[in-house]
Amino acid sequence: MRRKIAAGNWKMNLTETEARELTSAISDKKIPNDVTVILGCPAPYLSLTQALTKSNKNIHISAQNAHQESKGAYTGEISHNMLSSIGVDHVIIGHSERREYFNESNNLLKKKVEVLIENGFQVIFCCGEPLKVRKSKKHKAYVEKQLKESLFHLSSTQLKNVIIAYEPIWAIGTGVTASPAQAQDMHKYIRSLIRKNYTQKTASELSILYGGSVKPANAKELFGKQDVDGGLVGGASLNAESFNKIIRSF
Ligand code: PEP
């Protein structure tokens, strides 16, 4: 059985007070037993949110990025050693904003994925095409290249620690959502690539999340698709009422 996952990506939002209130409003409500909630928090709040959710087994705290080196002279960066030391065990890697604004290449992401998995993390690996590529109908080849160059060097045992998030860039923060049929089509294709490069078992066990303007109004239909195992949610994860509804949309 694949895990059902509602993951929030807070990006560079919220004050400490807001982060505290949001986390409490999510963890105070009983989360369905078969749903895993992941909160992608800004670095300054990782310890706080970790402490607030410690007793809630359904909630995991995730960093939004980590450096590929374990330590050293990299001003402003965060290492996996630091994250481990505060009990964080998930990291979002390859978000389109990191790729675009911080020039993170497939090759760099490969290194990050590798070092994180070697050090016991679960990686939420983001992929997805820009609008131009979707319009030229080359989106499948585009995403296949991202996966091939950053993920498919992993062994099947290592891949068990990866959650793939398919996030078409044209749907992120735009209010435009991929239709459930478009999401299913892409997720099915991604799963077929896992089957081709690994095994049927590995493919059927890997969770693939959809990201791109997920909200309470569309979550149920998206999550109802056969190969959509949940969502990576930006804007709607910043509001407790919205995110709590999304958590209960499976
Ligand atoms: C995201 O940041 O990963 C995301 C999907 O954002 P939004 O839900 O706001 O489109």
Side-chain angles (χ1 to χ4, degrees):
M1 270 285 278
R2 291 196 287 275
R3 283 201 294 163
K4 297 173 186 168
I5 301 171
N9 176 15
W10 296 356
K11 310 192 187 190
M12 197 174 73
N13 292 300
L14 306 179
T15 62
E16 199 220 47
T17 305
E18 288 165 343
R20 182 187 293 277
E21 285 171 2
L22 178 57
T23 307
S24 300
I26 292 161
S27 66
D28 286 353
K29 279 195 151 199
K30 179 156 170 39
I31 291 167
N33 282 337
D34 59 346
V35 176
T36 299
V37 172
I38 302 171
L39 304 179
C41 304
Y45 312 144
L46 286 169
S47 286
L48 167 74
T49 51
Q50 184 75 3
L52 288 171
T53 57
K54 214 174 181 169
S55 60
N56 198 329
K57 293 280 169 284
N58 292 45
I59 304 183
H60 295 268
I61 301 301
S62 175
Q64 298 174 9
N65 179 35
H67 197 270
Q68 63 277 17
E69 299 295 335
S70 306
K71 63 175 185 173
Y74 300 99
T75 302
E77 290 291 330
I78 299 165
S79 79
H80 60 84
N81 278 349
M82 296 170 180
L83 296 172
S84 298
S85 73
I86 57 167
V88 170
D89 56 3
H90 284 64
V91 183
I92 299 171
I93 286 295
H95 192 280
S96 61
E97 289 149 17
R98 300 283 327 164
R99 291 175 187 263
E100 186 179 348
Y101 306 138
F102 302 94
N103 299 319
E104 296 199 352
S105 65
N106 289 346
N107 192 41
L108 173 70
L109 298 173
K110 175 184 179 184
K111 290 183 194 151
K112 291 192 176 199
V113 166
E114 208 162 76
V115 82
L116 285 164
I117 289 182
E118 273 169 13
N119 285 281
F121 285 83
Q122 298 268 313
V123 171
I124 302 170
F125 182 82
C126 303
C127 57
E129 79 286 354
L131 185 59
K132 206 168 128 202
V133 171
R134 165 65 64 160
K135 281 190 169 159
S136 67
K137 299 196 167 36
K138 295 200 172 109
H139 47 289
K140 286 186 176 162
Y142 188 93
V143 168
E144 181 170 357
K145 188 170 188 294
Q146 290 180 319
L147 298 176
K148 241 186 198 160
E149 293 185 1
S150 303
L151 273 195
F152 288 170
H153 64 293
L154 298 174
S155 70
S156 54
T157 308
Q158 288 175 315
L159 196 73
K160 283 193 170 75
N161 298 305
V162 173
I163 298 160
I164 293 179
Y166 169 60
E167 301 204 303
I169 298 171
W170 45 273
I172 298 178
T174 57
V176 178
T177 315
S179 70
Q182 283 175 318
Q184 168 58 21
D185 180 52
M186 202 59 199
H187 283 224
K188 189 176 167 193
Y189 182 65
I190 292 171
R191 205 176 301 287
S192 78
L193 293 175
I194 310 288
R195 195 179 311 120
K196 202 167 90 184
N197 286 275
Y198 295 89
T199 62
Q200 165 67 28
K201 187 172 184 297
T202 306
S204 65
E205 287 173 359
L206 187 130
S207 293
I208 307 175
L209 313 183
Y210 167 76
S213 300
V214 174
K215 31 190 181 269
N218 58 26
K220 211 167 229 153
E221 211 186 333
L222 285 162
F223 298 176
K225 290 292 175 193
Q226 195 181 354
D227 289 290
V228 179
D229 305 309
L232 178 55
V233 186
S237 75
L238 295 171
N239 177 282
E241 200 187 329
S242 295
F243 197 56
N244 275 331
K245 280 188 185 151
I246 291 169
I247 291 170
R248 287 156 188 84
S249 295
F250 292 92

